[in-house]
Amino acid sequence: EKGGFDSFMEKEIHDQPDAVGQTLLGRSDVSGNLVLDELRIDESILRSVDKIVVLACGTSAYAGQVAKYAIEHWCRIPTEVELSHEFRYRDPIVNEKTLVVAISQSGETMDTLMAVRYAREQGAKVVAICNTNGSTIPRESDAVLYTHAGPEIAVASTKAFLAQITAAYLLGLYLAQLRGNKYRDEIADVLTDLSAIPAKIQAILDDADKIKQLGADMVNAKSVLFLGRHVGFPVAMEGALKLKELAYIHAEGFAAGELKHGPIALIEEGQPVVVVMPSSSARDSLHAKVVSNVQEIRARGAVTIVIAEEGDTSVEAYSEHVFYVPASPTLLAPLLTTVPLQIFALALASAKGYDVDQPRNLAKSVTVE
Ligand code: BG6
């Protein structure tokens, strides 16, 4: 059932074009309007929402962090992302006007379930984004948007992550459509751009030999840092998490802008740093700032591994390794830039001879608090 791959993880990384494609399927009507049939919360309630709180753990929380950038941009609704286990222990402000989005691949994570129960007790409406039909979190939520990634077997999440981002984006676009704000016109364009993503993921998978080789070559790395900015920041954290989970290497994801406020002290000769470049459609200044981050760390001896958009040659002079992903609008870039980071972690862990499907000490779903 590994479909000819060496591990479920490798298979699931290769399932990602379908995971995104299936999650997008059948979500718009003939006139291009987004229809989310499963979303059974009264439209008047969705129109009156004044805050969104995304609750999740692990990789799912990083999907939430990516989604925040898009939801706030399209909907102009203040959106917070919080780890489920932190949320209910700090007396959070949640009420009838709060829409909680609970993201869980398994639908069984106890921390997220308890947070959902707490939020509903405070009067919030809860939409679950979930990959497992009929699991507990969707059953206890007011509505559910299923991701259609197919069963995810490997403990470390890959295809569910991309499907969660896709589903959260659909939710954001739907709210924007419903609330009729100025970003309404963008919706059709974004849906078209989203529909082009599966083929772009496939192109990354088809051209992965170089990043696999780099992962294998780095088998002796003791620590790898990841930098990203804007939506690239949660992508950097997810890339670091994959490496921790699979290869048991110390890895941290940082916001690139934070570098000078602390993490740059970690840079010494030979320190590998993976940099997720903003797409060139990001405001120019953002792109230029990350280019200068790459220069700064390189000058201090870092070995820079850069994930950039095709055609972006700006960092070639400062990078030991550059890996290109197809161009996309900024907000959609995480659906692409994450993929080489997954392949890198898989290759490095495989070179170490580790069981990538069942990393030590981890469970696929944690059903205790
Ligand atoms: C962890 C898994 O325990 O739970 C992670 O090992 C996962 O891969 C996290 O991201 C959250 O799980 P879920 O099912 O709630 O998305």
Side-chain angles (χ1 to χ4, degrees), residues 88-110:
R88 77 194 175 102
Y89 294 99
R90 63 165 184 92
D91 195 16
I93 301 166
V94 219
N95 55 41
E96 297 73 19
K97 288 188 172 270
T98 310
L99 180 67
V100 165
V101 180
I103 307 182
S104 175
Q105 186 285 130
S106 62
E108 301 296 345
T109 299
M110 185 58 76

Side-chain angles (χ1 to χ4, degrees), residues 305-325:
I305 301 157
V306 176
I307 311 296
E309 190 177 88
E310 259 158 29
D312 176 3
T313 53
S314 58
V315 283
E316 276 178 5
Y318 315 107
S319 320
E320 268 67 32
H321 309 277
V322 185
F323 299 96
Y324 287 108
V325 299

Side-chain angles (χ1 to χ4, degrees), residues 46 48-55 64 67-68 70-72 74-82 87 90 93-95 97-103 124-125 127 129 168 171-173 175-176 179:
L46 292 174
S48 67
V49 162
D50 67 4
K51 182 166 89 162
I52 294 174
V53 178
V54 182
L55 299 174
K68 171 189 159 98
I71 293 174
E72 286 199 335
W74 293 324
C75 305
R76 311 312 295 157
I77 305 171
T79 303
E80 298 169 11
V81 185
E82 188 152 11
F87 170 72
R90 63 165 184 92
I93 301 166
V94 219
N95 55 41
K97 288 188 172 270
T98 310
L99 180 67
V100 165
V101 180
I103 307 182
K125 291 284 181 220
V127 185
I129 291 180
L171 177 63
L173 291 167
L175 292 174
R179 296 160 68 102

Side-chain angles (χ1 to χ4, degrees), residues 55-62 84 103-113 129-132 137 152 154-158 160-161 164 238 241-242 245 359 361-367:
L55 299 174
C57 303
T59 290
S60 300
Y62 294 139
S84 313
I103 307 182
S104 175
Q105 186 285 130
S106 62
E108 301 296 345
T109 299
M110 185 58 76
D111 285 322
T112 302
L113 176 62
I129 291 180
C130 184
N131 197 45
T132 312
I137 292 169
E152 192 179 62
V155 167
S157 183
T158 53
F161 178 70
Q164 287 164 343
E238 170 59 10
L241 179 60
K242 286 284 93 68
E245 290 178 313
N361 307 340
L362 297 176
K364 183 67 184 156
S365 81
V366 182
T367 52

